Amino acid sequence: MKTLDVNQDKLFFSAFMFRMHRLEQRIEPPNQIMLEVQCDKHTFLICEEGEGHLYIGQEYWPFTAGCIYPISPGEAYQLEHRNSNHLTYTVMAYDAFQVLSGHLKWYSQPLFQQRAQFNDAAYESVSGELAELFASRNYKNDAEYCHLNVRFQLWMERIITRYTSKGTDTNSESELTRTIQYIEECYRDEITVHKLANMAGVRPKLYTTMFKQRTGQKPLDYINHVRIQHAKEWLRKTDEPLRDIASRVGFKDEFYFSRRFRQITGLSPRQYDRSIQQQTLVQDWLGHDVRIPANPERVIYYGDTAGDLRALGVHLIVNEEHDAMTPIDIEKTARLKPDLIIIDGEDEYLYEQLSRIAPTLAYNSHASLHERLTRAGNWLGRQNQAERWLSSYEERTLQMWEKIGKMIHLGETASVLTYHRGARLFVMGNIGLAPLLYHPFGFRPVHKVQEALAAGRAYKEISADAIQEYAGDHLFLMLPQEPVARQATENLIQSPEWRALTAVEQGRVYPLEELAWNSGDAQTCNQLLERLPELLGNHLR
């Protein structure tokens, strides 16, 4: 008995008992409002289908099929869609009780310190238990509750086994790495997902999930990418027929080779061969290696920071904002015959459609202004223009804040609020007007906004009821053009929650037209250096 007690002292989870509290599956369409959720129980978030982002305080995690994340009581989480697909996930809330000298004590501290320990591999082994839990959750008597409780303990057994078996992750990662090396070395061979999965010692479905999380691509897409990269080398150094080049790199079918080549490069093999000398190889935000014209003349930009490109002297034949509600017209894009497309976003399906029309670059408008202009300058051979513009902007920004600093007190906070996508309220993070306000010599963000900034969030959706937590000493309220959003703004201004804010009581609210003030592109940022001192000067005199 003494030996057993000593061993138990060394085991962390042996001191706990668990009881499931709630189990529910949620299916969130792309336009669904998903506000921050405060957890009062230990919780597992389990992604079953779709792709999204998960924010927990200052942490940011990918939320894709197979991911499992533990959350502790007192922590808050918020989900966002990554693309236009539905997001399906399960929320499992449970209690943990620590056994202390024969007494049970409710435990609120984190049980799992390594939040990312539960990934795709864990989900495969526990998905059956999850299905059993769903089938048993609507119990009607004590016996059925006991059955549910047994199923839940089996779930916890699988979860804890996965968490405490440190070698499993290492072995899985090692085997996955070995299959990737095999692809890169033996790309000429016939390679299937089943073959790769057998090499890794896992099921094909699990292998695909693991592979995509590691590389960002499905196995067959990755294989084709490797083969096409080698095909490019052969096209550059030989005049062999396409069927011979296709065979050299592992394609049995010349037509399939040509189709895949166009999907990946935006050009047919022969078009690539003819234009290779007039092109520049660049890498976009999502890691695509893309050959673009050295001097593109017909550039299309889909996004809301076209001013970045115009600041570098790039002429755009089309500049349109786009989102899930206003999709891109692919046929119209093709009719315009662009020689370069730049798209703000990470939708791989849309990227693939556009890359069939012309070389396409994925752009990240949520990156910092310095990062965006530097990247665009490198792409388009305008490095000198980007450096000069940024140097001038940074100098003028410093001069502006030296002037404004006399009007504000050290440590004063500010927040930027706007309604968008209808009656949905957002506090701005690292895009729009907010980054300019949060200059080292400028305003400070309140704690909840600082959390969002630390997590790299461009914005955060909030409820009007929680506005007190996000309101700074100064409030910059954007006035949107869209009628529903505009009306929601008017309703907010009339609400008791708004009138109770300190900034409202002290007259430190700045209503601003959103289009003129909350765009984070280079041209708008440049204009704000003149507008902001005038705005604050008129209010703070």
Side-chain angles (χ1 to χ4, degrees):
M1 292 298 294
K2 268 190 174 181
T3 304
L4 180 60
D5 289 341
V6 170
N7 288 339
Q8 284 181 334
D9 288 342
K10 294 181 180 179
L11 300 177
F12 176 74
F13 289 102
S14 66
F16 293 95
M17 297 179 65
F18 307 105
R19 182 181 65 189
M20 194 176 76
H21 174 72
R22 187 179 76 258
L23 181 70
E24 58 181 307
Q25 185 185 66
R26 297 177 182 171
I27 302 176
E28 313 283 12
N31 60 346
Q32 180 66 38
I33 298 175
M34 292 187 288
L35 298 173
E36 189 172 64
V37 177
Q38 189 78 28
C39 292
D40 58 356
K41 303 281 187 181
H42 288 282
T43 302
F44 287 116
L45 285 184
I46 308 151
C47 185
E48 298 175 61
E49 186 176 1
E51 296 184 355
H53 301 297
L54 170 64
Y55 297 95
I56 306 173
Q58 298 185 17
E59 302 174 24
Y60 155 75
W61 303 97
F63 196 63
T64 57
C67 288
I68 302 174
Y69 292 102
I71 303 173
S72 303
E75 290 187 315
Y77 71 87
Q78 188 169 19
L79 290 168
E80 289 181 359
H81 285 89
R82 182 176 173 182
N83 54 34
S84 58
N85 297 324
H86 284 63
L87 190 62
T88 303
Y89 62 99
T90 292
V91 180
M92 181 187 294
Y94 65 99
D95 290 303
F97 299 94
Q98 190 173 21
V99 182
L100 297 172
S101 302
H103 300 287
L104 293 181
K105 180 183 178 181
W106 189 73
Y107 191 78
S108 61
Q109 299 303 308
L111 285 165
F112 305 98
Q113 299 292 338
Q114 305 298 322
R115 205 187 299 273
Q117 184 90 358
F118 307 111
N119 49 31
D120 333 87
Y123 180 71
E124 182 73 11
S125 64
V126 297
S127 58
E129 300 298 335
L130 187 62
E132 290 282 353
L133 281 168
F134 266 108
S136 308
R137 73 185 188 281
N138 295 320
Y139 58 88
K140 297 178 181 178
N141 53 51
D142 288 342
E144 290 180 358
Y145 170 76
C146 287
H147 178 75
L148 171 65
N149 187 49
V150 168
R151 304 312 316 182
F152 177 64
Q153 302 308 320
L154 288 172
W155 163 274
M156 292 302 296
E157 178 193 359
R158 296 291 182 92
I159 286 290
I160 293 172
T161 298
R162 179 66 188 178
Y163 188 77
T164 56
S165 301
K166 295 181 174 58
T168 306
D169 283 335
T170 303
N171 292 339
S172 297
E173 288 296 312
S174 175
E175 294 303 316
L176 179 61
T177 299
R178 189 166 69 90
T179 64
I180 293 173
Q181 291 173 343
Y182 172 77
I183 293 171
E184 293 173 349
E185 294 172 4
C186 304
Y187 58 90
R188 302 177 189 85
D189 298 348
E190 183 176 351
I191 305 176
T192 65
V193 174
H194 277 80
K195 181 177 182 178
L196 295 171
N198 287 336
M199 290 175 62
V202 297
R203 297 176 184 175
K205 182 179 179 181
L206 172 58
Y207 177 81
T208 298
T209 305
M210 293 171 61
F211 192 96
K212 187 174 181 182
Q213 181 150 340
R214 168 75 79 84
T215 67
Q217 295 179 285
K218 295 178 180 178
L220 293 181
D221 290 339
Y222 187 86
I223 294 166
N224 286 326
H225 176 79
V226 171
R227 287 170 172 169
I228 294 302
Q229 293 303 109
H230 286 280
K232 290 178 181 178
E233 295 297 324
W234 283 106
L235 285 166
R236 279 194 282 267
K237 65 184 181 183
T238 182
D239 292 327
E240 289 184 359
L242 288 184
R243 63 176 178 274
D244 292 343
I245 293 176
S247 178
R248 280 182 180 276
V249 298
F251 288 100
K252 294 182 178 180
D253 187 325
E254 175 186 342
F255 299 103
Y256 180 70
F257 162 65
S258 296
R259 182 159 64 89
R260 277 299 195 180
F261 195 100
R262 179 181 286 276
Q263 286 177 347
I264 292 174
T265 68
L267 299 168
S268 71
R270 286 310 177 201
Q271 286 174 327
Y272 176 86
D273 188 23
R274 289 192 297 269
S275 63
I276 194 68
Q277 300 304 323
Q278 291 80 40
Q279 291 188 336
T280 303
L281 179 64
V282 299
Q283 188 173 78
D284 71 3
W285 170 51
L286 296 180
H288 305 116
D289 291 323
V290 186
R291 285 201 172 270
I292 67 172
N295 296 293
E297 297 179 352
R298 298 186 61 77
V299 181
I300 290 179
Y301 177 76
Y302 290 120
D304 57 7
T305 52
D308 291 356
L309 301 174
R310 293 197 182 100
L312 299 180
V314 178
H315 172 68
L316 303 174
I317 61 171
V318 168
N319 163 37
E320 292 181 4
E321 293 190 25
H322 77 96
D323 55 35
M325 307 305 293
T326 55
I328 292 172
D329 188 330
I330 300 297
E331 293 183 3
K332 176 184 175 182
T333 302
R335 289 196 298 269
L336 291 169
K337 300 187 183 303
D339 56 8
L340 177 64
I341 301 171
I342 302 176
I343 177 173
D344 174 16
E346 50 184 327
D347 187 331
E348 286 287 357
Y349 176 72
L350 178 58
Y351 176 89
E352 184 175 330
Q353 286 183 300
L354 293 173
S355 65
R356 295 172 187 170
I357 299 171
T360 302
L361 296 170
Y363 192 64
N364 180 16
S365 66
H366 294 173
S368 69
L369 180 60
H370 188 280
E371 181 182 341
R372 297 199 314 266
L373 259 65
T374 300
R375 184 186 291 272
N378 290 337
W379 283 347
L380 303 171
R382 298 172 187 252
Q383 296 93 333
N384 292 336
Q385 292 96 318
E387 289 176 7
R388 286 196 300 269
W389 193 96
L390 287 167
S391 177
S392 173
Y393 176 76
E394 289 165 5
E395 182 179 350
R396 292 177 60 214
T397 302
L398 183 59
Q399 292 172 352
M400 182 202 72
W401 279 112
E402 288 177 346
K403 178 180 177 181
I404 293 180
K406 301 172 184 177
M407 306 178 192
I408 63 177
H409 297 293
L410 182 66
E412 283 192 304
T413 59
S415 306
V416 181
L417 300 169
T418 184
Y419 275 95
H420 189 50
R421 305 176 196 168
R424 299 173 67 173
L425 180 61
F426 295 84
V427 60
M428 303 307 295
N430 62 13
I431 62 170
L433 173 63
L436 181 60
L437 297 179
Y438 301 142
H439 186 272
F441 291 169
F443 295 105
R444 304 273 76 79
V446 298
H447 174 71
K448 294 291 284 185
V449 175
Q450 180 58 50
E451 275 191 351
L453 291 169
R457 304 187 69 172
Y459 47 79
K460 179 178 180 179
E461 187 166 4
I462 64 175
S463 70
D465 294 339
I467 198 169
Q468 179 71 47
E469 298 180 68
Y470 297 89
D473 300 320
H474 298 256
L475 286 177
F476 295 80
L477 180 64
M478 297 299 147
L479 304 177
Q481 284 192 322
E482 198 266 323
V484 176
R486 191 82 170 209
Q487 184 59 54
T489 306
E490 295 296 330
N491 294 341
L492 175 66
I493 293 173
Q494 301 301 321
S495 70
E497 292 85 1
W498 178 262
R499 292 175 179 174
L501 297 176
T502 301
V504 176
E505 293 175 346
Q506 295 182 354
R508 293 180 173 180
V509 176
Y510 314 94
L512 305 168
E513 291 296 331
E514 184 172 31
L515 283 180
W517 282 86
N518 205 35
S519 296
D521 66 275
Q523 286 185 322
T524 301
C525 287
N526 210 27
Q527 295 164 3
L528 292 180
L529 295 183
E530 298 179 1
R531 295 178 191 162
L532 189 58
E534 181 179 347
L535 173 72
L536 293 177
N538 291 336
H539 278 74
L540 301 179
R541 281 175 185 153

